[in-house]
Amino acid sequence: MGIAMPGDNERWRCTGCGNLTRFDVTRTVRSQDYLHLDLAGEGRVEERTTLSETIEQVKCRWCGAADRIEIIARPDADRSVSGTSAESPTGRA
């Protein structure tokens, strides 16, 4: 069973080291693609529809923990000053 993707008001946090910003995410995506091939046979995806997505693992980039990732609430938007967060970008004090 995979871990959930954070919602709009949530984010991941590593309980091991406190990381809030760097994660390696392993996921499986099932999609339907609209391919456009030119006359030479070169193709490119012009439209992609995700049919299903499963996050298999989220691993902390800092400490390597994969079993210590949790979903927490994002800080209130009122805390930002001039578009920058009052919280440290690394998640550390």
Side-chain angles (χ1 to χ4, degrees), residues 9 20 39 49 55 72:
N9 297 321
L20 295 168
L39 294 176
T49 303
I55 298 175
I72 62 169

Side-chain angles (χ1 to χ4, degrees), residues 10-46:
E10 301 171 321
R11 63 181 173 183
W12 286 317
R13 178 180 179 274
C14 177
T15 61
C17 68
N19 172 27
L20 295 168
T21 59
R22 304 287 191 266
F23 300 94
D24 291 315
V25 180
T26 304
R27 62 191 181 116
T28 301
V29 177
R30 185 171 168 264
S31 66
Q32 180 177 341
D33 297 341
Y34 169 66
L35 297 176
H36 181 186
L37 302 174
D38 63 19
L39 294 176
E42 297 290 325
R44 70 174 198 262
V45 176
E46 287 194 355

